[in-house]
């Protein structure tokens, strides 16, 4: 029997949703960092197997929105519910049940499709701590299954995939076999640059940045990819920090991003980075839309 369907990966920020998507697909299509609120859009990852096509939707972490950007992120996550046949609610084995987990559970109150609880990061805890946690979450929602795993090491992933397959309906192959994601190479390039910038900056800067790819051109005869991109920030002071003294910070971001881009695209990359200010863009509906955080870009 061939089965297929859409599986929304949901949960509060930083629980490992994007890491899980990457481990399932076997490629780094979604950026993942130790800082919460890394993912800002919905990102599709397609897993083909002989008996099915599992189409996963990574989503931003559900949290209490402060800015318009936050609002977009939470909407993008909630919007994925309606397009899914099955949901994976990801929680952290080492964190118990947090307030934002409760927020996620609250958003599930009218959901009619099955929900699997994925207890991630089991590499960080003693096995004996798992059962009480399963019990706690079972009292809060009627999960179709509870799967402990480590998205980082891959332990338990195959058990999850079999369980997902079991719960999916019979269906066709929706996407061609060689398609891995719905996101463009430009999108992934911008995300890789944003990831490196997040990892190298502190405090509010990671949350104040957007990355736009201005030019993306493969020069085939040289095996070279030319990328021009801008990091957009909210304030002049943030621009100063991102550029750094004598440009050192921007140079570091550029070097790290180039190495990752070269690995992902398997090409030599020539990367040019700029920093621009767009005042208070995280609360400006028009700017958000232009930067890829509008309704159409959930
Ligand atoms: N030890 C351990 N760390 C993990 C595991 N899975 C994810 N992480 C780490 O948890 C952090 C958050 O991972 P992400 O995949 O970015 O989490 P997310 O849920 O997508 O976060 P948002 O996009 O911010 O909502 C990263 O530092 C990951 O390396 C795991 O199984 N074990
Ligand atoms: Mg993520």
């Amino acid at each position: 029997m061939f089965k297929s369907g859409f599986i929304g990966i949901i949960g509060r920020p930083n629980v490992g949703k994007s890491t899980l998507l990457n481990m399932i697909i076997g490629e780094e299509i979604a950026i993942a960092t130790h800082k919460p609120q890394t993912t800002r859009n919905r990102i599709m990852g397609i897993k083909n197997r002989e008996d099915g096509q599992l189409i996963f939707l990574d989503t931003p972490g559900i949290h209490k929105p402060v800015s318009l950007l936050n609002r977009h992120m939470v909407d993008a996550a909630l919007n994925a519910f309606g397009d899914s046949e099955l949901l994976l609610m990801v929680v952290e084995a080492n964190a118990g049940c947090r307030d934002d987990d409760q927020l996620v559970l609250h958003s599930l109150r009218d959901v009619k499709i099955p929900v699997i609880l994925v207890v991630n990061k089991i590499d960080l805890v003693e096995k004996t701590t798992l059962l009480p946690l399963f019990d706690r979450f079972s009292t809060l929602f009627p999960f179709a299954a509870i799967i402990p795993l480590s998205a980082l090491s891959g332990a338990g992933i195959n058990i999850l995939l079999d369980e997902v397959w079991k719960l999916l309906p019979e269906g066709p192959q929706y996407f061609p076999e060689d398609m891995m994601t719905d996101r463009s190479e430009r999108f992934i390039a911008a995300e890789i640059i944003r990831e490196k910038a997040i990892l190298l900056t502190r405090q509010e800067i990671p949350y104040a940045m957007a990355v736009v790819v201005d030019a993306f051109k493969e020069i085939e005869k040289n095996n070279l990819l030319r990328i021009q991109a801008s990091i957009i920030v909210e304030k002049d002071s943030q621009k100063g920090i991102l550029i750094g003294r004598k440009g050192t910070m921007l140079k570091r971001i550029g070097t790290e991003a180039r190495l990752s881009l070269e690995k992902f695209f398997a090409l030599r990359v020539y990367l040019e980075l700029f920093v621009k200010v767009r005042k208070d863009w995280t609360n400006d509906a028009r700017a958000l839309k232009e930067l890829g955080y509008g309704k159409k870009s959930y």
Side-chain angles (χ1 to χ4, degrees), residues 240-254:
I241 292 169
L242 266 186
I243 292 173
R245 194 178 296 164
K246 293 188 181 155
T248 45
M249 176 59 99
L250 194 60
K251 208 164 161 198
R252 274 179 78 192
I253 295 170

Side-chain angles (χ1 to χ4, degrees), residues 12-19 31-39 58-61 120-121 123-124 149-152:
R12 67 173 164 80
N14 217 36
V15 290
K17 300 178 294 299
S18 303
T19 307
I31 61 166
T33 81
H34 61 287
K35 290 183 188 162
Q37 300 180 23
T38 296
T39 305
D58 182 23
T59 64
N120 187 28
K121 309 197 185 181
D123 54 294
L124 296 177
L149 55 78
S150 170
L152 207 56

Side-chain angles (χ1 to χ4, degrees), residues 150-161:
S150 170
L152 207 56
S153 76
I157 297 276
N158 286 332
I159 299 171
L160 173 70
L161 293 178

Side-chain angles (χ1 to χ4, degrees), residues 54-214:
L54 318 184
I55 306 148
F56 291 90
L57 304 172
D58 182 23
T59 64
I62 293 174
H63 59 282
K64 282 209 186 76
V66 184
S67 66
L68 269 186
L69 171 64
N70 292 144
R71 183 76 257 165
H72 161 87
M73 290 161 65
V74 175
D75 285 350
L78 298 179
N79 190 266
F81 289 27
D83 294 334
S84 302
E85 290 28 76
L86 169 67
L87 293 174
L88 308 182
M89 174 174 168
V90 184
V91 298
E92 281 174 320
N94 58 326
C97 182
R98 297 278 177 92
D99 283 354
D100 277 357
D101 291 318
Q102 299 279 3
L103 206 61
V104 178
L105 287 165
H106 184 71
S107 67
L108 287 173
R109 66 198 180 281
D110 296 325
V111 162
K112 302 275 186 313
I113 53 176
V115 183
I116 296 178
L117 182 74
V118 172
V119 179
N120 187 28
K121 309 197 185 181
I122 56 165
D123 54 294
L124 296 177
V125 300
E126 294 292 332
K127 268 211 171 100
T128 49
T129 64
L130 290 175
L131 267 183
L133 193 67
F134 296 173
D135 284 345
R136 167 104 176 94
F137 275 102
S138 316
T139 61
L140 299 172
F141 190 86
F143 292 104
I146 298 182
I147 313 279
L149 55 78
S150 170
L152 207 56
S153 76
I157 297 276
N158 286 332
I159 299 171
L160 173 70
L161 293 178
D162 288 341
E163 195 61 40
V164 164
W165 186 86
K166 270 191 223 156
L167 290 168
L168 283 183
E170 213 172 323
Q173 180 184 322
Y174 289 104
F175 297 101
E177 215 146 295
D178 59 353
M179 186 171 157
M180 193 161 63
T181 181
D182 60 338
R183 290 290 171 179
S184 66
E185 294 187 326
R186 282 175 92 109
F187 175 87
I188 294 176
E191 288 286 90
I192 289 173
I193 296 164
R194 194 165 63 84
E195 177 185 70
K196 300 310 168 195
I198 290 175
L199 290 173
L200 287 167
T201 55
R202 287 181 298 167
Q203 290 162 348
E204 91 282 9
I205 309 273
Y207 308 96
M209 291 186 303
V211 175
V212 177
V213 168
D214 304 306

